[in-house]
Amino acid sequence: MNIDDTSKDCPMCCMSIPATARKCPYCLQWQTKFEKLTHHPVVPVVVVGVLIGIYGLTFAAVMRDTFDRGEPFAEYVGQIEVLSSRVEFGDAEGGPTVAVIGRVRNGSDVDWKDFVFHVEFQDAGGKLTDASQEVGYYEVLPA
């Protein structure tokens, strides 16, 4: 056992080590509980696991909000009515354009937040020629 203040005995191997040593140079034992905890190999795994969990929960919430289908529309089919629709033709820098213009009435008790209109283009024989969900083919309008 050491009597002076410049050294101490390691609690694991009982060798004399400097009093300020954080780790025993002989047995490599950390000298305080805090050092043992912070240098334990499980700590980085737990920290990374927590960060991945937080990221995963955030990602799941964003995906849920992004791909939320909203209200089940099937029960409101008879209450949403297309009052009129017409087609307008025009020209733009990229070539000829087609605009589908219409009026819709909401007869349901639901205050819909957004409407998405999908227009399908068919040739003279009734064959579907385009139904892509591009920005040019639908418009989201505020209620």
Side-chain angles (χ1 to χ4, degrees), residues 6-7 40 43 53-54 59 69-70 73 81 92-93 99-101 104-105 111 116 126-127 140:
T6 61
S7 64
H40 195 279
V43 171
I54 291 170
F59 182 75
R69 293 188 146 302
F73 184 71
E81 180 181 4
E93 292 179 17
V100 178
I101 303 166
V104 178
R105 180 176 60 197
D111 292 330
V116 176
K127 182 180 175 187
V140 178

Side-chain angles (χ1 to χ4, degrees), residues 22-23 30 33-44:
R22 293 172 35 190
K23 189 175 188 180
W30 291 103
K33 289 181 182 180
F34 178 76
E35 293 289 340
K36 288 177 189 176
L37 178 65
T38 57
H39 291 87
H40 195 279
V42 172
V43 171

Side-chain angles (χ1 to χ4, degrees), residues 22-70:
R22 293 172 35 190
K23 189 175 188 180
C24 176
Y26 302 106
C27 69
L28 305 178
Q29 178 69 28
W30 291 103
Q31 297 299 301
T32 65
K33 289 181 182 180
F34 178 76
E35 293 289 340
K36 288 177 189 176
L37 178 65
T38 57
H39 291 87
H40 195 279
V42 172
V43 171
V45 173
V46 169
V47 169
V48 169
V50 167
L51 292 175
I52 288 173
I54 291 170
Y55 175 77
L57 290 173
T58 304
F59 182 75
V62 167
M63 289 290 101
R64 182 190 65 236
D65 293 343
T66 301
F67 295 106
D68 181 18
R69 293 188 146 302

Side-chain angles (χ1 to χ4, degrees), residues 80-114:
I80 307 296
E81 180 181 4
V82 177
L83 298 176
S84 66
S85 65
R86 70 180 194 273
V87 177
E88 296 282 334
F89 299 96
D91 283 313
E93 292 179 17
T97 62
V98 176
V100 178
I101 303 166
R103 290 182 55 212
V104 178
R105 180 176 60 197
N106 177 12
S108 73
D109 58 349
V110 176
D111 292 330
W112 300 98
K113 288 203 265 180
D114 296 311

